[in-house]
């Protein structure tokens, strides 16, 4: 059992309050996943910088400012650094690959948690409420967010195994369920150049969707392809820089509820996480059908 | 009418109160507000109380119900009225998967749609769904009646025993050993009684009856693929 939540804002006036609404949603799924929790928040990066990476280091006193200063000198460009708990956001007006390639030798324990133009990712061991407080979720602004509370069944309880999984620039996935063909699919993707960081089944699904997106599919088509290639139980919530999508397997034993108003779309494993959203009493509320991709795009919301 | 807000009272305290007043022979009425998707609301009631719940509930609402009349003015999550023994449970909205699972008796009315596996392993309960049902409804249903006024999803009545299924719309597909059966005057009369008790008006001519072909009751090598 795990809990997943997603909030996609259609009304830009609500963006300042994304984090506060989303923190309530994440806390609502705390009982479904007490081992660890994680969030991916899509935000405008200050100064219009083209690259934002989220990094994790287990050492609480890790010298993030020194890393930023070194990177800034090496790239001869300004680097913003925002430290939250054991995570840090580094932002620069550079290609993502240029920045990430300079970080590989900084420390063997330094881990790239998220990367892209807008995504910020925080995932850690602990309860949903602890994670939300530790990383200041309630104060975060943004366009959409995806979160997960984990009760591990397939692999270790570590921050690396916590969701969301980021598989490409601004591409993230959370999952409730378990996949049965992930080992074979991991090999299939590895032969096509996808690299893996864990033995986790959800990472395979994330890399699979990223691969389909790289091949030219849009988010909806990528997830529809997954219905053919992924075997197992799943309720997925996926995010891209401008998109948000939900998909359940044909058996649909893993729960999901969608709610939509003119201002927002929200998804959760259970209604408990939606109960305090503004205007929920007038929202359209439904259970997503098996094997149907539900997707929304910023600026083109249905 | 006693009113309890689940913003102020825990589900455990609420259910203790709902059980506590059921022994004096009266039929007290309760109103529950602010359920906000809570699990096990009004579960395990044993007396003839009337409970009105204003809002959406989570898993296992009205589970194991005996004698109580419980109405949910909202949607409900997994397993509403699971293992119900008697009484009546009415959902004014939609129900998620496994509604009425394993129910032994009483009546479950879902005015909206029901999700997958509605009436799974039912053992005597009567279930009336005003809308459609999801896949594998009536799976291994042993006894009782499942009335679906709208359409039924894939694999209706898979491995069904002696329960009876009535469908007003269309069935996407039938599960193993489930077949259409003749709608006799006796079955029309039973269907009318079920709909009347559920408070639903329907054109009986739309309905078809489904049940077990009884081919899987005893092992037969020709049916090995269906087990």
């Amino acid at each position: 059992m795990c809990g997943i939540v997603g909030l996609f804002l259609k009304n830009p006036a609500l963006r300042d309050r994304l984090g506060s609404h989303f923190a309530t949603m994440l806390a609502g799924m705390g009982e479904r996943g007490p081992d660890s929790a994680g969030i991916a928040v899509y935000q405008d990066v200050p100064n219009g910088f083209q690259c934002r990476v989220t990094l994790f280091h287990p050492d609480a006193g890790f010298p993030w400012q020194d890393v930023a200063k070194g990177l800034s000198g090496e790239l001869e460009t300004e680097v913003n650094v925002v430290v939250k708990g054991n995570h840090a956001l580094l932002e620069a007006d550079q290609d993502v690959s240029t920045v990430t390639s300079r970080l590989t030798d900084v420390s063997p324990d330094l881990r790239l948690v998220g990367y892209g133009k807008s995504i910020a990712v925080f995932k850690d061991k602990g309860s949903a409420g602890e994670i939300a407080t530790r990383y200041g979720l309630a104060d975060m602004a943004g366009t959409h967010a995806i979160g997960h509370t984990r009760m591990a069944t397939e692999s270790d309880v570590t921050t690396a195994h916590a969701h969301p999984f980021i598989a490409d620039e601004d591409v993230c996935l959370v999952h409730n369920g378990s996949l049965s063909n992930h080992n074979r699919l991991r090999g299939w993707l590895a032969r096509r150049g996808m690299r893996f960081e864990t033995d986790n089944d959800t990472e395979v699904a994330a890399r699979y969707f990223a691969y389909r997106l790289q091949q030219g599919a849009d988010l909806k088509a990528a997830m529809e392809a997954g219905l053919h290639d992924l075997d197992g139980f799943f309720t997925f919530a996926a995010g891209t820089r401008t998109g948000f999508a939900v998909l359940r397997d044909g058996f649909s034993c893993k729960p999901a509820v969608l709610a939509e108003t003119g201002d927002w779309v929200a998804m959760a494993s259970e209604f408990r996480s939606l109960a305090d959203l503004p205007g929920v009493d007038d929202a359209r509320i439904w259970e997503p059908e098996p094997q149907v991709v539900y997707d929304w795009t910023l600026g083109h919301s249905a | 009418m006693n009113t309890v807000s689940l913003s102020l009272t825990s589900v455990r305290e609420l259910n203790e109160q709902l059980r506590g007043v059921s022994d004096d022979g009266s039929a007290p009425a309760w109103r529950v507000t602010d359920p906000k998707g809570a699990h096990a609301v009004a579960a395990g009631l044993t007396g003839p109380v009337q409970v009105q719940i204003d809002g959406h509930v989570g898993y296992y609402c009205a589970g194991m119900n005996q004698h109580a009349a419980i109405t949910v003015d909202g949607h409900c999550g997994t397993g509403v009225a699971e293992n119900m023994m008697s009484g009546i449970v009415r959902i004014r909205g939609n129900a998620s998967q496994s509604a009425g699972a394993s129910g032994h008796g009483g009546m479950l009315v879902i005015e909206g749609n029901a999700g997958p596996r509605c009436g799974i392993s039912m053992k005597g309960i009567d279930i009336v769904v005003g809308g459609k049902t999801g896949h594998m409804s009536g799976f291994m249903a042993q006894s009782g009646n499942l009335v679906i006024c709208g359409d039924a999803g894939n694999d209706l009545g898979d491995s069904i025993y002696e329960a009876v299924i009535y469908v007003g719309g269309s069935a996407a597909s039938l599960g193993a050993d489930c077949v259409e059966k003749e709608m006799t005057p006796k079955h029309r009369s039973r269907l009318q009684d079920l709909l009347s008790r559920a408070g639903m008006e329907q054109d009986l001519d739309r309905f078809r009856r489904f049940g077990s072909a009884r081919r899987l009751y005893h092992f037969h090598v020709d049916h090995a693929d269906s087990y």
Side-chain angles (χ1 to χ4, degrees):
Chain A
M1 191 162 68
C2 296
I4 60 180
V5 286
L7 179 61
F8 178 90
L9 299 180
K10 297 198 264 182
N11 181 353
L14 293 175
R15 288 178 184 174
D16 285 347
R17 303 193 58 201
L18 176 80
S20 66
H21 294 313
F22 195 62
T24 307
M25 292 179 67
L26 190 72
M29 286 298 92
E31 287 179 12
R32 290 187 66 92
D35 295 339
S36 53
I39 50 174
V41 182
Y42 291 87
Q43 313 173 294
D44 289 334
V45 175
N47 305 335
F49 283 177
Q50 289 301 298
C51 164
R52 166 191 257 184
V53 297
T54 313
L55 301 162
F56 169 87
H57 196 283
D59 181 358
F62 188 71
W64 293 109
Q65 301 292 348
D66 294 347
V67 173
K69 194 183 286 181
L71 191 63
S72 176
E74 215 174 316
L75 298 174
E76 297 180 342
T77 187
E78 186 186 341
V79 176
N80 285 341
V81 58
V82 181
V83 180
K84 289 177 187 284
N86 280 22
H87 291 57
L89 295 172
L90 296 187
E91 297 154 358
D93 203 13
Q94 287 280 346
D95 286 345
V96 172
S97 57
T98 305
V99 173
T100 53
S101 66
R102 308 293 168 106
L103 292 167
T104 50
D105 297 330
V106 170
S107 160
D109 292 327
L110 188 69
R111 207 157 42 73
L112 186 64
V113 179
Y115 53 100
K117 289 178 168 50
S118 68
I119 198 169
V121 180
F122 305 96
K123 53 185 192 176
D124 211 342
K125 287 187 278 189
S127 73
E130 287 165 5
I131 304 299
T133 304
R134 195 177 303 161
Y135 297 103
L137 173 58
D139 296 325
M140 293 184 196
T143 51
H144 50 303
I146 286 171
H148 187 268
T149 59
R150 182 164 186 247
M151 184 179 285
T153 57
E154 293 294 300
S155 53
D156 267 356
V157 178
T158 71
T159 52
H161 288 84
H163 303 212
F165 282 95
I166 288 30
D168 202 346
E169 289 189 27
D170 292 321
V171 175
C172 85
L173 184 74
V174 294
H175 174 204
N176 176 199
S178 56
L179 301 178
S180 48
N181 67 337
H182 61 102
N183 281 327
R184 189 167 53 79
L185 196 56
R186 188 182 289 107
W188 187 86
L189 288 165
R191 288 193 293 280
R192 283 154 182 80
M194 303 300 283
R195 288 184 299 122
F196 290 85
E197 293 170 6
T198 71
D199 56 350
N200 181 279
D201 57 337
T202 304
E203 186 188 357
V204 175
R207 303 279 176 203
Y208 173 83
F209 294 133
Y211 174 74
R212 290 294 181 206
L213 290 166
Q214 288 168 10
Q215 296 294 305
D218 61 15
L219 183 58
K220 185 185 177 97
M223 296 189 80
E224 279 173 347
L227 286 170
H228 180 262
D229 290 328
L230 297 169
D231 186 17
F233 298 119
F234 51 81
T235 294
F236 289 128
T240 63
R241 187 153 57 246
T242 57
F244 171 63
V246 172
L247 174 64
R248 303 174 80 195
D249 70 89
F251 206 63
S252 285
C253 61
K254 297 300 179 185
V257 183
L258 277 163
E260 183 168 16
T261 71
D263 289 334
W264 47 259
V265 178
M267 178 272 170
S269 299
E270 297 178 32
F271 179 76
R272 284 189 284 177
S273 279
L274 310 178
D276 289 316
L277 286 171
V280 73
D281 289 343
D282 299 319
R284 177 182 169 235
I285 297 169
W286 76 101
E287 194 168 272
E289 296 280 337
Q291 300 189 305
V292 175
V293 177
Y294 296 81
D295 69 311
W296 290 265
T297 306
L298 286 177
H300 301 90
S301 303
Chain B
M1 174 84 77
N2 305 297
T3 299
V4 177
S5 167
L6 283 176
S7 293
L8 306 170
T9 304
S10 72
V11 170
R12 187 176 292 261
E13 288 167 337
L14 168 72
N15 289 344
E16 281 175 3
Q17 290 185 54
L18 296 177
R19 275 193 290 271
V21 294
S22 62
D23 295 332
D24 62 0
S26 66
W30 292 81
R31 182 163 172 249
V32 179
T33 62
D34 308 304
K36 294 190 174 185
H39 292 187
V41 177
L45 303 194
T46 53
V49 294
Q50 294 179 50
V51 182
Q52 158 91 21
I53 301 163
D54 295 340
H56 311 308
V57 293
Y59 291 14
Y60 309 128
C61 177
M64 304 172 282
N65 187 51
Q66 293 182 66
H67 307 300
I70 300 167
T71 299
V72 178
D73 198 359
H75 306 310
C76 56
T78 294
V80 63
E82 57 89 28
N83 222 51
M84 179 158 79
M85 305 303 287
S86 60
I88 181 164
V89 174
R90 179 178 293 276
I91 311 302
R92 299 227 184 263
N94 302 325
S96 185
Q97 64 178 325
S98 305
S102 263
H104 286 254
M107 175 173 266
L108 169 64
V109 180
I110 298 162
E111 296 186 1
N113 300 321
R117 297 172 279 277
C118 179
I120 180 173
S121 196
M122 53 192 275
K123 299 175 174 68
I125 190 175
D126 292 323
I127 304 174
V128 179
V129 181
K132 60 183 182 178
T133 57
H135 58 266
M136 297 201 88
S137 290
F139 178 54
M140 297 186 80
Q142 290 143 55
S143 177
N145 298 284
L146 172 59
V147 180
I148 303 164
C149 297
D151 297 335
N154 282 314
D155 297 321
L156 178 70
D158 192 286
S159 305
I160 189 171
Y161 293 85
E162 292 303 304
V164 181
I165 302 176
Y166 300 94
V167 180
S170 63
S173 67
L174 300 181
D177 208 33
C178 182
V179 293
E180 182 167 0
K181 296 188 170 185
E182 185 189 355
M183 193 74 168
T184 66
K186 181 181 74 177
H187 292 103
R188 276 180 73 95
S189 166
R190 285 182 184 170
L191 175 60
Q192 181 58 63
D193 174 60
L194 289 160
L195 289 165
S196 299
R197 286 196 285 131
M200 289 192 190
E201 281 189 24
Q202 293 283 334
D203 174 9
L204 292 190
D205 291 340
R206 294 170 53 235
F207 283 82
R208 297 192 291 159
R209 177 170 72 104
F210 299 90
S212 176
R214 303 184 179 112
R215 287 185 302 245
L216 302 182
Y217 281 23
H218 305 287
F219 181 78
H220 191 294
V221 72
D222 289 347
H223 303 145
D225 289 344
S226 299
Y227 291 104

